[in-house]
Amino acid sequence: MSNGLPMPVPAAGLPPRVRIHEVGARDGLQNEKTVVPTEVKAEFIHRLAGAGLTTIEATSFVHPDWVPQLADAESLFPQLADIPAGVDLPVLVPNGRGLDRALELGARRIAVFGSVTESFAKANLNRTVDESLAMFAPVVAKARAAGLHVRGYLSMCFGDPWEGPVPVDRVVTVARRLLDLGCDELSLGDTIGVATPGHVQALLTGLNGAGVSTDALGVHFHDTYGQALSNTLAALQHGVTTVDASAGGLGGCPYAKSATGNLATEDLVWMLEGLGIETGVDLGRLTATSVWMAGQLGRPSPSRTVRALSHQEQ
Ligand code: MG
């Protein structure tokens, strides 16, 4: 009889602790067809915090017409006021107006969402890469002046549905520019899930060669081709300690055909527990949260770990 956890067997060359940046409530729900009521989102985030996650991306202050799933940011954020102070609740802001709304509500961490490739910048932001960086510059500067922590998302770091494979040098150039704007950390996104471990190592090595510290880097893998955990392990071996994941594997990418979506937090925690790497997450409570959320969405979680553990409990 299992206790719902793998046997911890540490491996050499890995960090003792990983910070999970939980994206289910924002990246996950943004890409789900179902629009979830505000009270359910608030309960979801409270449950995630209760399961031990300490960085929970809460919502996006994007124009309500663009992302109807997250149009309730203004009413959701105050419902999170009782979340313990040790839990960070970053919010995505697309522009200066979004930042002002986030500041009015007391957000302490923001994220901006950039693209490495021109095709995705055009499709997602309706701007060139240069134009989007120019738009972020005053947003990042104002956020930093207000004492906020700023994360910069970089999407399409490995491949792009229109342009194909993305050269490491291209990612390095845009990453350097986002850091020069004042971002505290970058999240390297494999938006269509085409990365493989050698490519991950090559990108991280390329970034280090351009003076980017591994400490400033997080990774954001999608499991489209079943590579998310392999890629995560490659990043950990390189010294990365911030990993994005989505509870229950919520969400996907509308630009990736039949994408299975974000790396599931439970699958990540299972691997990290097995490696003896500390996360602070209670896998049982997290799984129960994803089973509950699957009930809200009316479909089962795609996470293998959620399926295995919830089946076991029945
Ligand atoms: Mg994602």
Side-chain angles (χ1 to χ4, degrees):
M1 189 68 185
S2 156
N3 64 349
L5 292 172
M7 182 172 86
V9 183
L14 295 173
R17 186 176 174 83
V18 159
R19 182 172 66 92
I20 298 176
H21 186 108
E22 169 59 48
V23 299
R26 199 279 301 166
D27 182 7
L29 293 183
Q30 171 177 341
N31 291 302
E32 290 288 335
K33 289 191 187 73
T34 311
V35 178
V36 173
T38 309
E39 319 77 72
V40 173
K41 291 176 183 169
E43 183 171 351
F44 183 42
I45 293 167
H46 280 88
R47 283 177 179 239
L48 293 171
L53 288 154
T54 54
T55 306
I56 305 171
E57 197 160 302
T59 186
S60 172
F61 286 88
V62 67
H63 192 284
D65 291 347
W66 296 352
V67 185
Q69 292 95 328
L70 303 182
D72 59 353
E74 235 97 27
S75 52
L76 172 64
F77 205 75
Q79 293 185 37
L80 308 177
D82 61 339
I83 296 264
V87 178
D88 294 320
L89 298 169
V91 294
L92 195 67
V93 301
N95 52 33
R97 175 73 192 117
L99 174 62
D100 290 343
R101 292 165 67 204
L103 282 170
E104 280 164 25
L105 288 167
R108 300 304 306 154
R109 285 179 172 241
I110 63 152
V112 295
F113 194 88
S115 172
V116 168
T117 64
E118 294 294 347
S119 302
F120 190 65
K122 194 75 189 162
N124 196 50
L125 304 166
N126 200 25
R127 283 175 170 78
T128 65
V129 170
D130 279 348
E131 287 166 352
S132 59
L133 291 169
M135 178 177 72
F136 295 145
V139 176
V140 176
K142 187 173 179 177
R144 289 293 304 267
L148 271 58
H149 179 277
V150 182
R151 155 176 267 223
Y153 278 103
L154 265 182
S155 48
M156 304 296 176
C157 288
F158 298 90
D160 172 294
W162 300 276
E163 300 179 22
V166 174
V168 165
D169 287 353
R170 175 71 197 158
V171 186
V172 169
T173 301
V174 183
R176 197 59 268 175
R177 290 177 67 186
L178 266 182
L179 288 170
D180 290 345
L181 290 183
C183 286
D184 296 283
E185 72 172 11
L186 298 181
S187 170
L188 305 171
D190 181 18
T191 316
I192 58 170
V194 293
T196 43
H199 197 166
V200 171
Q201 298 269 12
L203 176 56
L204 293 168
T205 301
L207 286 161
N208 294 155
V212 178
S213 161
T214 303
D215 290 344
L217 300 172
V219 288
H220 184 114
F221 293 121
H222 282 190
D223 210 26
T224 321
Y225 296 89
Q227 304 299 300
L229 279 179
S230 309
N231 292 335
T232 300
L233 184 58
L236 298 178
Q237 285 166 337
H238 193 89
V240 168
T241 58
T242 299
V243 179
D244 295 6
S246 177
L250 288 174
C253 172
Y255 297 94
K257 285 188 185 120
S258 68
T260 39
N262 290 307
L263 169 61
T265 311
E266 290 86 353
D267 295 5
L268 173 64
V269 171
W270 181 272
M271 180 177 80
L272 296 177
E273 285 281 346
L275 288 164
I277 296 173
E278 202 183 316
T279 64
V281 174
D282 180 324
L283 186 56
R285 288 187 73 175
L286 180 60
T287 300
T289 297
S290 290
V291 169
W292 167 81
M293 183 50 101
Q296 300 293 324
L297 293 169
R299 64 158 182 79
S301 163
S303 160
R304 301 280 184 88
T305 300
V306 169
R307 289 183 183 191
L309 291 178
S310 56
H311 179 70
Q312 197 172 59
E313 283 160 11
Q314 282 163 4

